[in-house]
Amino acid sequence: MDQSTPHPSDLVYLDHAKVTDPAVRARIVMERAIIRKALEDLIAADCKVRHNDGEDFTTPHIQDIELLMRELMATDEEVLRVYFKDDEGIPHTGSIVLIYGNDGWDVIADNSVCLEPWLAGASALAEQFAETA
């Protein structure tokens, strides 16, 4: 899917949240595209992800992108906890801090260094969005 075309679930989110301002809609679509790319790459690497809305975990350790996407944007700042095993089978965790409402391309505000190989695609997408902003 072309990154400029909103994912169908993003349109559902925008309608449910009653977002009508075109600039805000564009920012949210950008944020969600970057997060979706990160989730796709993490799950392709067999990572499990858990969503935290700033107070509570709202999902178990899962690999369900659409469920994770439905939980996003409940608050202005959220964390995705990522669980994975290294080549020797040793479990590890990392975090991705999401902050909404700024420029959109900067939605991933911070992340654990150990996740950077799997976030390369999301980072590249964010750079593309930043260049066109």
Side-chain angles (χ1 to χ4, degrees), residues 63-127:
Q63 294 183 312
D64 185 333
I65 293 173
E66 289 312 311
L67 177 56
L68 289 160
M69 293 300 294
R70 280 194 302 272
E71 293 298 324
L72 292 175
M73 301 182 141
T75 61
D76 292 336
E77 183 176 333
E78 298 172 326
V79 176
L80 298 176
R81 292 288 291 169
V82 180
Y83 303 86
F84 62 97
K85 292 182 181 177
D86 65 18
D87 293 338
E88 296 174 8
I90 299 170
H92 298 275
T93 61
S95 297
I96 302 169
V97 177
L98 305 172
I99 297 179
Y100 308 109
N102 293 315
D103 293 317
W105 54 265
D106 54 352
V107 66
I108 297 178
D110 196 13
N111 60 270
S112 301
V113 174
C114 62
L115 301 179
E116 287 183 2
W118 300 309
L119 296 178
S123 295
L125 181 57
E127 287 177 24

Side-chain angles (χ1 to χ4, degrees), residues 1-53:
M1 178 177 290
D2 178 356
Q3 295 301 333
S4 63
T5 304
H7 189 276
S9 70
D10 297 341
L11 295 174
V12 170
Y13 171 82
L14 292 167
D15 290 342
H16 179 73
K18 297 179 174 61
V19 179
T20 58
D21 181 284
V24 175
R25 287 177 72 91
R27 177 187 46 79
I28 290 171
V29 167
M30 186 184 311
E31 290 169 340
R32 292 177 67 86
I34 293 165
I35 298 166
R36 179 177 270 97
K37 178 61 177 156
L39 290 172
E40 288 170 352
D41 292 347
L42 287 163
I43 291 167
D46 203 31
C47 299
K48 292 192 170 142
V49 182
R50 195 168 186 205
H51 174 263
N52 185 293
D53 66 7

